[in-house]
Amino acid sequence: MSTLANQLASAEREEVARAIRLLLARPLLTEAADPTGFDLVRRRRDPLARWFDYTCGWNLVVEPRRGYARLTKVRVNPDGSRPARRARSGRAPFDRRRYVLLCVTAAELLSMPMTTIGMLADRVVQAMAADRALAGFDPVRRPERMAFVDVLKLLESYDVLRAVDGTTETYLDSAEAKVLYRVDNTLLMRLPAAPVGASRLAVPPEEVPARFEDLLAGLVRERRYGGTSADDTHAETAATTDAQRNLRLRHSVLRRLFDDPVLYRADLADDELAYVTSLTGRQILRRSVEQAGFLLEERAEGFLLVDPDAIATDIRFPDDTSTARVAALLLLSPLCATPAGLLPEQLAEAGAELLRRFPGWAKAYQSEEGPARLADDAVRILLDVGLAGRARDRVVARPAAYRYRLTETTGPAPKNDQLAVTAVGSAGEGDKQ
């Protein structure tokens, strides 16, 4: 092979690796949000689609003319660790009310290429009034308008909605606000990642609470692996071939490796652990990691991917951009010093100790319930990044937590609520989190 051919092949490998990490961090990549990244994905869409299908069993759709690329990530065990978040209020996660409004709003938008905020709100009012399982929507009330604005801002961030006249935030002050939207119905239909449509699992509303876990599992059931048919949750279990079994094992292990901050061996099922420690499994794992441009850190407890360029990093830790994230790093010391874990009251006392040490810090938590809230918010972050876990009524440090050591703490300056912290021996910005 000539020198030029070698250079071209090397450039292609580097671009594909970069594009893989871009899509892992942003499964919906739009030309409007990232023109350079989208152009890269557009040019390398064929090798990218093959890599995601073989490695994780995820489908990649690139629409050059419509300006978006959609990677449909299907998680083996769906949970609430990656919630939709509000553009306001410190990016607080969506609550149940906002999720309901999101689903109803999306359903109404499917037939509306253009709409105003008032017309859309009226459609949502009518739709929710017609469904006895849903509480009515009252845009006269400000809390309801706030929830509706959070939903619209989320859809705007996906480029499903685009305000062509007016701004969505004006609806907070008045239900008479005038905002005109253009709707991308095709992109809207690409948002759901579940292999099975919810309508195919429809059950009477009163049965949902008792069957919720089964219904959730039914949404992510994939026919390619054999077993129970996705078309009928009551179907007889079908035979699963060895090829289907190996395919399921490869995808289940590598999905978690490329999508979670840390993959612990203890969290793998027996057959998954056997696969990842087999000669074939290890070869596929290492090759996939190399093709994606990650560095693999393998320990006795599990695996962690490091992105040298921090492209795939969607959550950074350590991170001193918020009070809760600083508290999460500070709480690692007492957690790691107590292998048996800490009870809620012990965590609250640890939060109180932090507030006593830094009296000018964390002003939002300076109340009677503040220490417990601070500890709860910090623990939630540690759980999300795989540094802590729950063991009955205790929170325990997980093995990756011992990689961090606090070396310096700088108190907040006057009129500044930020606390600067420095940690060494840590994952740093480059970890795939």
Side-chain angles (χ1 to χ4, degrees), residues 154 217 228-229 277 335 373 377 411 417:
L154 180 70
T228 305
S229 169
T277 55
L335 273 176
R373 288 193 298 108
D377 291 346
D417 195 34

Side-chain angles (χ1 to χ4, degrees), residues 87-147:
R88 309 172 302 104
S89 307
R91 292 192 54 78
F94 268 34
D95 53 18
R96 182 185 181 89
R97 182 59 172 171
R98 284 166 172 80
Y99 278 121
V100 170
L101 280 174
L102 174 61
C103 294
V104 175
T105 301
E108 294 302 317
L109 286 171
L110 282 173
S111 60
M112 304 171 69
M114 298 285 290
T115 186
T116 66
I117 198 168
M119 291 173 57
L120 182 58
D122 289 343
R123 293 278 293 265
V124 172
V125 168
Q126 296 170 17
M128 297 184 75
D131 193 326
R132 60 187 177 88
L134 302 179
F137 174 58
D138 183 6
V140 174
R141 299 177 57 241
R142 181 177 171 84
E144 291 280 76
R145 295 201 306 275
M146 291 174 64

Side-chain angles (χ1 to χ4, degrees), residues 75-77 79 248-249 252-257 260-274 276 299-304 382-391 396-400:
R75 288 180 59 80
V76 179
N77 299 307
D79 55 33
R248 177 186 63 80
L249 290 173
S252 64
V253 170
L254 294 181
R255 282 175 180 179
R256 295 168 69 176
L257 178 67
D260 292 338
V262 185
L263 177 60
Y264 292 106
R265 296 177 192 268
D267 293 340
L268 295 173
D270 291 342
D271 55 353
E272 292 173 328
L273 184 58
V276 80
R299 302 287 181 91
E301 299 86 3
F303 308 88
L304 182 145
L382 294 176
L383 293 172
D384 287 347
V385 296
L387 299 180
R390 295 192 184 277
V396 298
R398 303 209 70 181

Side-chain angles (χ1 to χ4, degrees), residues 294-313:
F294 287 106
L295 301 177
L296 177 64
E297 183 175 307
E298 185 174 354
R299 302 287 181 91
E301 299 86 3
F303 308 88
L304 182 145
L305 298 186
V306 178
D307 180 359
D309 303 311
I311 296 170
T313 304

Side-chain angles (χ1 to χ4, degrees), residues 317 326-339 341-342 347 350 353-354 357 378 382 387-388 395-397 401-409 421-424:
F317 190 88
V326 172
L329 179 59
L330 294 173
L331 276 184
L332 283 181
S333 293
L335 273 176
C336 291
T338 314
L342 297 178
L347 289 166
E353 175 60 24
L354 293 179
R357 283 176 59 192
L382 294 176
L387 299 180
V395 174
V396 298
Y402 294 89
R403 305 169 77 247
Y404 295 82
R405 179 167 58 86
L406 191 65
T407 59
E408 183 180 355
T409 305
V421 293
T422 304
V424 299

Side-chain angles (χ1 to χ4, degrees), residues 167-398:
T167 57
T168 303
E169 289 83 352
T170 58
Y171 193 70
L172 290 171
D173 299 322
S174 171
E176 303 302 318
K178 307 298 181 184
V179 187
L180 177 66
Y181 295 108
R182 180 178 290 113
V183 185
D184 190 331
N185 312 95
T186 304
L187 180 54
L188 177 61
M189 290 188 287
R190 291 287 187 191
L191 293 184
V196 180
S199 61
R200 292 163 64 183
L201 302 177
V203 298
E206 58 273 12
E207 295 183 20
V208 171
R211 299 178 54 188
F212 182 77
E213 294 299 329
D214 289 338
L215 293 172
L216 190 60
L219 290 175
V220 296
R221 186 172 291 119
E222 297 171 83
R223 301 182 64 181
R224 71 172 83 188
Y225 306 132
T228 305
S229 169
D231 293 320
D232 184 0
T233 56
H234 302 289
E236 294 295 325
T237 299
T240 302
T241 66
D242 288 342
Q244 289 174 319
R245 177 178 175 276
N246 288 331
L247 185 67
R248 177 186 63 80
L249 290 173
R250 181 172 79 228
H251 289 167
S252 64
V253 170
L254 294 181
R255 282 175 180 179
R256 295 168 69 176
L257 178 67
F258 284 103
D259 207 30
D260 292 338
V262 185
L263 177 60
Y264 292 106
R265 296 177 192 268
D267 293 340
L268 295 173
D270 291 342
D271 55 353
E272 292 173 328
L273 184 58
Y275 176 83
V276 80
T277 55
S278 68
L279 179 61
T280 300
R282 291 178 67 84
Q283 288 176 340
I284 291 175
L285 183 150
R286 291 179 178 277
R287 184 174 66 246
S288 300
V289 168
E290 181 182 358
Q291 290 169 342
F294 287 106
L295 301 177
L296 177 64
E297 183 175 307
E298 185 174 354
R299 302 287 181 91
E301 299 86 3
F303 308 88
L304 182 145
L305 298 186
V306 178
D307 180 359
D309 303 311
I311 296 170
T313 304
D314 56 351
I315 300 176
R316 299 179 186 274
F317 190 88
D319 183 0
D320 59 4
T321 58
S322 76
T323 299
R325 293 188 181 281
V326 172
L329 179 59
L330 294 173
L331 276 184
L332 283 181
S333 293
L335 273 176
C336 291
T338 314
L342 297 178
L343 294 164
E345 52 268 27
Q346 292 174 305
L347 289 166
E349 177 54 33
E353 175 60 24
L354 293 179
L355 295 175
R356 286 193 292 267
R357 283 176 59 192
F358 308 105
W361 171 66
K363 295 177 183 177
Y365 296 92
Q366 299 287 349
S367 64
E368 183 177 353
E369 301 297 326
R373 288 193 298 108
L374 179 61
D376 286 345
D377 291 346
V379 166
R380 190 174 301 113
I381 291 169
L382 294 176
L383 293 172
D384 287 347
V385 296
L387 299 180
R390 295 192 184 277
R392 296 185 179 178
D393 54 349
R394 295 176 181 266
V395 174
V396 298
R398 303 209 70 181

